[in-house]
Amino acid sequence: MDMQKRPQRPPQAQHPEGCLVVAVRIPVRIFVFLVVLPVRLLWDVFTAAARFLWRYVLAPVGRVVGWILHRLLVVPLIWLYRHLLTPLGHALVWLYARVLTPTGQALVRFLVWFHARVLTPIGHAVVWLLTPVAKAVAWLSDMLGTALYWTARVLLVLPAVALWRWVLAPAGRVLGIVLREIGEALGHAWRAAGYVARAAGRVLGTLFRWIFLEPARWVYRTVLTPVGHVVRDLVLHPAAEAARAIGRAVRQARADLRRALFGEPTRPAPVDRREPGGRDTRTLDG
């Protein structure tokens, strides 16, 4: 019973442009794929170069330029605002309060009086004289507007409606189909180019690791590290010990030469600490 009570949906109308879609889609996608893929690869290369250029060139240069602009522009402008514009603003405020405000108030009172005593009577007289002329001009304007409306409708509107209905609308539908297929082809090609670029990047990274990093790591671990240990144990440590022995011998020779030339150095005189010396020295315990 429920299935019988539900209203049946009307069948959807099929688009008549199926053949045109098939005829346009495949050539457009092939062409766009061949064109967009190299563009996407170049775009990825340029994006990486731009990031490197921004991080290591443009950002430091921008900070330096910002510091220079701050020193050359901001600091002088602050000084100009504090020592010139602020006093000038105070002077203008005083001029406005003491001179312009009374003058403006007097002018407003004069304009009110002039409007009430002169302009209002003149305006009433002009309105009384021009009312018949305005009515005649309005009637002529209505007649002329009606004639222009029908002339424009016959000469412009009806041909434009016919042109839109029979020429521009069908052409627009065909152009919409073509543009839609081009857009879909561009999207597919752009995404495919992205997949290819990422796969190429992973392949290049793997090749770089296996060609350069792994051999370099193996050489460092199996060759350079043992050689470094051997050099350290057999060459550097004995050389350091020999250098320290030579240094001690040189210092001893200099000390012997100094004693031979100038004698034994004088020892400082003992300082009387006011405490008994020897075994009888007093302590805090007794």
Side-chain angles (χ1 to χ4, degrees):
M1 296 298 292
D2 295 334
M3 296 296 294
Q4 295 177 358
K5 291 181 180 179
R6 292 181 181 176
Q8 296 181 358
R9 296 182 180 178
Q12 297 181 356
Q14 299 294 330
H15 295 286
E17 65 271 9
C19 297
L20 179 61
V21 170
V22 174
V24 172
R25 178 178 298 170
I26 296 175
V28 169
R29 287 189 176 182
I30 293 173
F31 175 77
V32 172
F33 182 80
L34 293 177
V35 172
V36 173
L37 179 59
V39 174
R40 176 59 187 268
L41 294 177
L42 292 176
W43 174 263
D44 292 336
V45 173
F46 288 149
T47 302
R51 290 175 180 172
F52 178 82
L53 188 63
W54 169 259
R55 180 175 297 176
Y56 297 104
V57 178
L58 295 180
V61 172
R63 287 192 292 269
V64 173
V65 172
W67 183 83
I68 294 173
L69 291 177
H70 177 76
R71 293 297 180 182
L72 295 180
L73 293 179
V74 176
V75 174
L77 287 177
I78 292 174
W79 182 89
L80 182 66
Y81 173 80
R82 289 179 179 177
H83 297 87
L84 181 61
L85 296 180
T86 301
L88 183 60
H90 290 304
L92 290 176
V93 169
W94 180 87
L95 181 64
Y96 175 80
R98 296 292 187 270
V99 178
L100 297 180
T101 301
T103 304
Q105 293 174 354
L107 183 60
V108 167
R109 288 194 293 269
F110 172 76
L111 291 177
V112 171
W113 175 86
F114 185 76
H115 179 268
R117 301 298 182 181
V118 179
L119 295 181
T120 301
I122 294 175
H124 289 307
V126 170
V127 169
W128 181 78
L129 292 175
L130 294 180
T131 300
V133 178
K135 291 181 179 179
V137 171
W139 182 77
L140 291 175
S141 299
D142 291 337
M143 296 298 295
L144 182 60
T146 303
L148 291 176
Y149 168 75
W150 285 106
T151 302
R153 183 179 178 83
V154 172
L155 296 179
L156 297 177
V157 176
L158 295 179
V161 170
L163 179 64
W164 170 260
R165 182 175 297 175
W166 302 106
V167 178
L168 296 180
R173 286 193 291 270
V174 174
L175 183 61
I177 294 171
V178 175
L179 292 178
R180 184 184 64 192
E181 294 303 323
I182 291 174
E184 292 180 358
L186 284 173
H188 289 301
W190 188 263
R191 288 190 292 272
Y195 296 148
V196 173
R198 286 193 291 271
R202 288 193 291 269
V203 170
L204 291 176
T206 303
L207 291 176
F208 180 79
R209 186 177 69 250
W210 287 106
I211 293 174
F212 295 102
L213 296 182
E214 293 299 332
R217 187 179 300 172
W218 181 84
V219 170
Y220 175 77
R221 289 179 178 177
T222 60
V223 178
L224 297 180
T225 301
V227 171
H229 292 168
V230 171
V231 171
R232 181 190 62 189
D233 296 335
L234 297 180
V235 178
L236 296 181
H237 286 175
E241 293 295 335
R244 285 193 289 269
I246 292 172
R248 288 193 295 269
V250 169
R251 288 193 296 272
Q252 186 64 34
R254 290 173 58 187
D256 294 339
L257 181 61
R258 187 181 298 110
R259 283 194 297 270
L261 294 177
F262 303 103
E264 291 291 337
T266 57
R267 296 181 179 179
V271 179
D272 186 7
R273 299 180 180 178
R274 298 182 181 180
E275 292 290 338
R279 297 180 180 178
D280 298 332
T281 302
R282 292 187 302 175
T283 62
L284 295 176
D285 295 335

